[in-house]
Amino acid sequence: MSQLIRMSRRRLLASGGKAAMFVAATGIAPQFIRPGRAFAADALAPGMIGGPTGFDGAERYQYGPDTPEGRAIEAAKALKAAGKAPAKIVLGLSDGSIGQLTKPFPAGAPSIKDLWEKETGIAIEIVGLPNGQEFTKTMQDISTKGGAYDIYSTEWNRLGDLAETGGIAKLDDFVAKHKPEWDDPKQGYVNGAKGVSLLNQYRGSTYGVSLDGDFQTWVYRTDLFGDAAEQKAFKDKYGYDLAPPKTWKQHSDVAAFFQRPDKGLFGSTDLRNQGWGYTNWYQRYVSMASPNQFLFGDDGKPLINSEQGIAATKEYVESLAHHSPDAISWGWPEQYGNFAKGGAAMTCAFSNLPKFLDNAGNKDSAVTGKIGSMLPPGREIDGKLISRSVLWFSLTGMVSSQSKNPEAAYLLLQWLGSARIYAWMSANPGGYLDPFRLSDFSDPLVRQTYHAYHMDVVRETVARTVPTINYPGATAFHNALDENLVASLTKAKTPEQAMADTEREWKKIARRIGEDKLLEAIKTNKEAWPTVLDPIS
């Protein structure tokens, strides 16, 4: 099973073949990104001390002195003036994201990197990390005491493991001093303090600054769902109207209806391969209780070897009937390439799928103008609909404990992750750092790049998102679950065996970590779970 395909984002962007459609989609970038014109300080709006200039609407991304961005810039300048700032900050960044910091956007604008360096006098040295190897490179630097970076960027749910190694710095003092305002009710994280806990914290302390919004979002083909003949045929067969499914039962019906492999069409292509697919099992499992079916009880005991865990696994296996015959080996390059060719009725993907595939600049996409977004399917429990998605991957910036200038490194992260700069950065088509803040969803550039119809649904999906495991042993817990789910997909194990074996492995991992430490982390993690219940219509 360990030999099953794991396609990294780097390989996606570099590969041909099945991923060709998606590679072509990245052609949207040249449409927007052109060399920046000179930008002058006197172009700042009244009262602003910094921010981009040189393009219409630039004032939206400018900031005054009493803002998170302004405080970060002024503090960095003060460090520089006092001789306490580094000549450069070394940022290890997933190489597919670098363009959003280095390429000017839109026409006439400076780049993110150039603006920071101009305003603070502190250079940013970006070291590209191979996509999919961010955590490996981070652990290598920590274990060897290499000290190669001031800032690491890796998956958000590695915070627990990295904090326990002592390899990343606790940021509480810097947060208190510089006031990032992540919980701002208008511009901050969805769900306020809960969102901050979900993305930036471990066991109640801040260890990271989110730089990505990889909330798994469902999309569907509007041309298929809106076709009168398809609507009639569906209603004749199932007795209700064809529409984006609200429940998992409806999802199964719709996927079965559109499963036409002889015509090059699959019903649903949410992933099933090792390393990627288990997030789609999560969505089925966590929606089996109100407000959530948790992975662990308050006593720390695993809950997956249960009626709910077995039922979710059975559904997960049975849903292969609506996928490609090669679904167990599909990564997201195959998923995106297939969708671009019009090969699926529905899928669940990173929120950037419409950015790349619903785009007139992508001449190889057959679905431009034919994509819609929907909330995750859910379950009717106690008169309410439990609809849940999941956060997966999502790059987070972390300050290395080996950094000689941790405050300067934190200030760069606060500036990058603050409302005005982050919206401007995530709107840039030159990379895949995706929007997630409340301010992103209403931002004109973000809505232009990602589409207005999609941003509204992403916002609501974020509010219904559960975290994956984010405490010590996260990697081991997920590997055990992942391997057993693949075993059930390949019929090597029954769903009952898969959940029993996962529970046994999870108990071993918990004993190895220390159950007292784990209990505290589980409690803190649960505080970030959503409580949104939807009406049944």
Side-chain angles (χ1 to χ4, degrees):
M1 284 176 276
S2 62
Q3 300 302 313
L4 291 175
I5 292 176
R6 290 176 182 259
M7 178 73 81
S8 73
R9 297 187 186 200
R10 179 188 181 95
R11 290 172 60 198
L12 165 66
L13 296 174
S15 64
K18 294 181 180 179
M21 290 291 180
F22 187 80
V23 174
T26 63
I28 67 175
Q31 176 184 348
F32 297 104
I33 299 172
R34 304 184 181 98
R37 299 195 300 266
F39 52 103
D42 59 10
L44 292 171
M48 300 295 101
I49 65 165
T53 60
F55 61 95
D56 290 342
E59 65 276 5
R60 290 193 304 268
Y61 312 103
Q62 297 170 6
Y63 36 83
D66 192 22
T67 63
E69 297 89 347
R71 288 192 291 272
I73 291 294
E74 292 297 281
K77 288 164 63 177
L79 289 175
K80 183 76 171 178
K84 298 180 180 179
K88 64 181 179 181
I89 296 171
V90 182
L91 166 62
L93 184 63
S94 185
D95 52 13
S97 303
I98 293 174
Q100 284 171 297
L101 276 70
T102 60
K103 295 181 180 180
F105 171 80
S111 72
I112 294 278
K113 180 177 183 293
D114 287 345
L115 181 62
W116 165 270
E117 293 177 346
K118 173 180 179 287
E119 293 191 354
T120 66
I122 302 171
I124 304 174
E125 179 183 334
I126 301 176
V127 178
L129 305 178
N131 306 118
Q133 296 183 34
E134 296 88 352
F135 180 66
T136 300
K137 294 294 185 182
T138 297
M139 284 302 300
Q140 183 180 51
D141 190 65
I142 291 170
S143 62
T144 63
K145 302 188 185 303
Y149 311 94
D150 294 294
I151 298 174
Y152 304 121
S153 64
T154 188
E155 302 101 303
W156 78 277
N157 64 354
R158 305 289 194 171
L159 281 178
D161 281 337
L162 292 172
E164 291 296 337
T165 68
I168 58 175
K170 185 182 291 189
L171 304 177
D172 291 346
D173 290 345
F174 299 142
V175 169
K177 181 178 179 180
H178 299 295
K179 302 178 178 62
E181 300 181 10
W182 296 316
D183 60 352
D184 182 89
K186 294 183 178 180
Q187 300 190 96
Y189 294 8
V190 174
N191 293 333
K194 279 191 173 184
V196 177
S197 174
L198 170 69
L199 294 171
N200 293 356
Q201 296 181 343
Y202 166 66
R203 293 176 68 184
S205 288
T206 300
Y207 285 92
V209 179
S210 182
L211 298 176
D212 200 2
D214 283 341
F215 296 87
Q216 301 299 288
T217 309
W218 284 85
V219 296
Y220 66 96
R221 291 267 303 284
T222 57
D223 58 323
L224 292 177
F225 281 72
D227 184 270
E230 300 286 12
Q231 291 173 345
K232 182 180 185 304
F234 183 87
K235 190 164 187 177
D236 287 347
K237 184 170 184 178
Y238 293 99
Y240 63 94
D241 291 335
L242 174 63
K246 292 187 175 182
T247 68
W248 285 111
K249 175 62 171 63
Q250 291 172 0
H251 176 273
S252 179
D253 290 346
V254 173
F257 176 74
F258 282 117
Q259 180 70 6
R260 304 164 191 174
D262 56 324
K263 297 181 179 180
L265 181 65
F266 302 122
S268 184
T269 56
D270 45 311
L271 293 178
R272 290 292 178 272
N273 68 328
Q274 188 172 1
W276 303 73
Y278 70 84
T279 61
N280 293 301
W281 175 90
Y282 253 95
Q283 295 186 55
R284 293 173 180 270
Y285 173 80
V286 300
S287 61
M288 284 192 160
S290 180
N292 302 290
Q293 174 63 38
F294 291 105
L295 298 167
F296 292 88
D298 291 338
D299 58 0
K301 293 182 179 178
L303 301 176
I304 38 73
N305 187 22
S306 60
E307 177 184 346
Q308 293 84 358
I310 293 167
T313 305
K314 285 182 177 179
E315 284 186 3
Y316 188 71
V317 173
E318 290 169 356
S319 68
L320 278 177
H322 312 141
H323 285 67
S324 162
D326 300 321
I328 297 177
S329 65
W330 270 27
W332 72 292
E334 290 84 3
Q335 176 194 33
Y336 277 54
N338 169 265
F339 204 85
K341 291 184 291 186
M346 302 178 287
T347 200
C348 183
F350 293 110
S351 59
N352 60 27
L353 185 146
K355 175 173 79 169
F356 293 122
L357 302 188
D358 189 359
N359 192 304
N362 180 6
K363 302 303 182 183
D364 292 313
S365 177
V367 294
T368 296
K370 302 175 182 178
I371 300 177
S373 303
M374 65 185 190
L375 290 177
R379 303 183 196 280
E380 297 180 8
I381 300 176
D382 298 331
K384 296 291 183 180
L385 181 67
I386 316 301
S387 171
R388 296 290 179 260
S389 185
V390 67
L391 176 63
W392 186 80
F393 201 80
S394 199
L395 290 174
T396 296
M398 310 168 194
V399 176
S400 169
S401 296
Q402 300 176 73
S403 173
K404 295 180 174 60
N405 300 279
E407 185 170 14
Y410 167 79
L411 291 169
L412 173 57
L413 288 177
Q414 175 167 311
W415 185 76
L416 288 173
S418 293
R420 297 161 186 84
I421 295 300
Y422 190 80
W424 175 40
M425 180 171 69
S426 63
N428 189 328
Y432 51 59
L433 299 178
D434 295 323
F436 69 94
R437 298 182 59 118
L438 290 169
S439 48
D440 300 334
F441 300 125
S442 59
D443 182 81
L445 284 181
V446 173
R447 292 175 75 83
Q448 172 186 313
T449 300
Y450 282 81
H451 300 293
Y453 71 81
H454 190 53
M455 280 294 92
D456 293 338
V457 173
V458 173
R459 181 187 62 237
E460 294 305 314
T461 299
V462 174
R464 292 160 177 79
T465 293
V466 305
T468 47
I469 294 172
N470 178 26
Y471 30 84
T475 302
F477 283 122
H478 282 142
N479 284 345
L481 172 63
D482 197 10
E483 290 177 5
N484 280 292
L485 287 175
V486 172
S488 66
L489 290 171
T490 59
K491 308 298 185 182
K493 293 182 181 181
T494 65
E496 290 83 359
Q497 289 172 320
M499 291 298 97
D501 289 349
T502 302
E503 178 190 38
R504 183 162 47 252
E505 288 301 312
W506 280 12
K507 286 181 176 179
K508 291 179 182 177
I509 296 164
R511 287 193 296 269
R512 188 165 67 244
I513 290 167
E515 292 176 349
D516 290 343
K517 184 186 297 183
L518 193 61
L519 280 174
E520 181 184 352
I522 289 171
K523 179 181 178 181
T524 304
N525 180 271
K526 282 186 176 182
E527 292 172 357
W529 286 52
T531 57
V532 177
L533 305 178
D534 293 309
I536 296 173
S537 57

